[in-house]
Amino acid sequence: MIPAAASPNAAPGALSGRAVTIIGGGIGGLTAALALAQRGARVSVLERAGMRREVGAGIQISPNAGRVLDALGLTEAFHAASHPSHGVELRDHHGALVLHLDFARWRPDAPFRTIHRARLVELLETAARAHGVNIHLNRSVESLPQAPLLIGADGLHSLVRRALNGAETPFFTGQSAWRAIIPDDDPQPLTRVFMGNGRHLVSYPLGFGQRNLVAVLERDDWTGERWSQTDDPANLRREFAGFGGPVPGWLDRVAETGLWGLFRHQVAARWQDGRMAILGDAAHPTLPFLAQGACMAIEDAWTLAACLDADPDQGRALSRYQQLRQPRCTRIVAAATANARNYHLSGPKRLAAHTALRLANRLAPSTAFERFAWVYDHDPTA
Ligand SMILES: Cc1cc2nc3c(=O)[nH]c(=O)nc-3n(C[C@H](O)[C@H](O)[C@H](O)COP(=O)(O)OP(=O)(O)OC[C@H]3O[C@@H](n4cnc5c(N)ncnc54)[C@H](O)[C@@H]3O)c2cc1C
C-alpha cells in the first residue's frame, strides 16, 4: 500500500512518521484519520463505498463531540455546514408539551448542533485530505491487511471487531426506525420528540431548507439489520396517523424513506490487541435514543490519537485507549437503551410518567438536563 504523505502541520510526538491503516471512512474513521495525521502519522483509509451518497439523513452533535471538532480546527467549517439546536421538547402524541430540555439556558457556551451526515463526512474528508491522508474509495476489505497499526472503524458489522472478539449475535429490540428528510423552511432550532403508544417521532431542522425525521415503531416482524432498505412512505404515514401538532404536515411531505431494524449489541469486550484497535460502531453500536453514536465515534477518535501520540509503546497506548473509553461508552449505550423504554410507555404508566415530568418541568426545570450532564459536559480534549 502506498503510504500517505505526512501532514504539513505535523507536531512532533510518538505518532510522528508512523504508518496507520484505517478500515472504514465513516464519521469515526475520518475523524481518527484527521486526528492522527495532525499529529504527524502517515494515514491511509480504506473505504468500501465509492462516490459519497446522501445516506443516513441527519445527526445531532452534542458539545462533547463538538469540542473534538473544535480541537481539530473544524469550528468554522462545522458551523457553516450545520444548524444550531437550542433544546429538546418532549411532547405527547397530540402535541402537548411534557418537558423542555433547554440547552441554550443551561449550557449557553456549549452549543448543540444538527447536521446532515453527508455534509459532516464531506467536511471531515476534505480536512483529512488536506492533512495528507490517503483515502481509497471503492476498497472493500475482505481480509485484514498486515499493517503495523490497524484501526477498525468499519461500523456495525466490523471485521476487526470479529477478529478481536469472535462472532457475536446481536438481538432485535422489537423496534424499527424510518428516517426521512423533508423540505422545510421552519428554522426553529429545536429537536421535537412526539411520544405515543409503542412509537415515537423525532424531528429537527438541518438548515439548508431541510428537516430530519426519525420515527420509531415497536414491531416483531423484522429480521435484518441494514441501513439501506427503503420503504413506502404510506406505511410511515399509516403508523403515525393518530399524531397531532405539526406531525401530519411533516409526514405529508415525505417522498422517500429508509427503514432500519434496531438491534442491541454488547459493547465489545476486547478493543485492541496491541496491533489492531476498534472505534465507533465497531466497538459499541448503540440504539439512537440518546443521539450519541456518532458523538462517541468522534470522542474515540480523538482519544485514540492522543494515547498513541503520548506513548511510543503501542501496546500500552492502545490499552490505555480502551481503559479510557470503554466505561464511558458502556454507560452511554445503557442510558440510550433505557430511554427507548421511557419514550414508548402506554396506559397508566405513561400518564404517571408524563405527569411527573410536567411537574418537574415546572418546579425544577434544570433537573432533566442535569441527569445527562455527564454526557454533554465531558471534554475528551481536556
Ligand atoms: C436512526 C438513527 C439515528 C441516529 N442519530 C444519531 C444522532 O443524532 N447523533 C449521533 O451521534 N449518532 C446518531 N446515530 C448513530 C450514528 O449514525 C453512528 O453511531 C455513527 O455513524 C457511527 O460511525 P462509525 O464511523 O463508527 O460507523 P459508520 O458510520 O457505519 O462507518 C463505517 C464505515 O466503514 C465502511 N466499511 C465497513 N466495512 C468495510 C470493509 N470491510 N471495508 C471497507 N470499508 C468498510 C462503511 O462503508 C462505512 O463508511 C443514529 C443512528 C441511527 C440508526
Side-chain angles (χ1 to χ4, degrees), residues 18-215:
R18 272 164 68 192
V20 187
T21 303
I22 300 178
I23 305 179
I27 292 166
L30 290 170
T31 309
L34 178 58
L36 291 160
Q38 285 186 346
R39 293 166 187 269
R42 295 175 300 124
V43 185
S44 296
V45 176
L46 310 177
E47 167 54 48
R48 171 189 287 156
M51 274 278 285
R52 299 301 192 162
R53 281 197 325 118
E54 292 260 310
V55 288
I59 48 176
Q60 305 175 67
I61 298 292
S62 49
N64 43 312
R67 290 181 188 105
V68 172
L69 300 179
D70 288 341
L72 291 170
L74 297 173
T75 310
E76 211 175 300
F78 177 54
H79 277 229
S82 62
H83 193 74
S85 174
H86 290 173
V88 178
E89 281 182 355
L90 300 186
R91 294 179 174 270
D92 67 20
H93 70 287
H94 299 299
L97 184 68
V98 173
L99 183 72
H100 180 196
L101 296 173
D102 194 343
F103 304 156
R105 179 166 171 203
W106 306 117
R107 293 294 184 278
D109 301 324
F112 288 68
R113 301 192 72 87
T114 57
I115 187 167
H116 195 297
R117 171 191 298 277
R119 282 197 284 276
L120 181 55
V121 167
E122 189 186 336
L123 80 86
L124 289 168
E125 192 173 321
T126 303
R129 285 189 197 278
H131 281 84
V133 174
N134 229 327
I135 300 175
H136 305 268
L137 299 178
N138 286 311
R139 192 73 70 89
S140 182
V141 175
E142 309 300 336
S143 58
L144 299 183
Q146 280 305 317
L149 177 50
L150 183 66
I151 309 297
D154 46 347
L156 221 47
H157 306 289
S158 167
L159 282 182
V160 185
R161 173 174 176 151
R162 201 176 322 137
L164 289 170
N165 292 275
E168 293 156 298
T169 316
F171 60 92
F172 181 48
T173 58
Q175 296 169 336
S176 58
W178 285 275
R179 296 181 95 179
I181 291 193
I182 56 168
D184 188 58
D185 290 330
D186 174 4
Q188 205 185 358
L190 268 184
T191 294
R192 280 180 272 183
V193 183
F194 296 85
M195 304 173 290
N197 191 355
R199 67 205 68 202
H200 76 273
L201 184 141
V202 182
S203 178
Y204 46 83
L206 293 171
F208 302 86
Q210 294 175 319
R211 168 170 292 278
N212 193 62
L213 301 181
V214 179

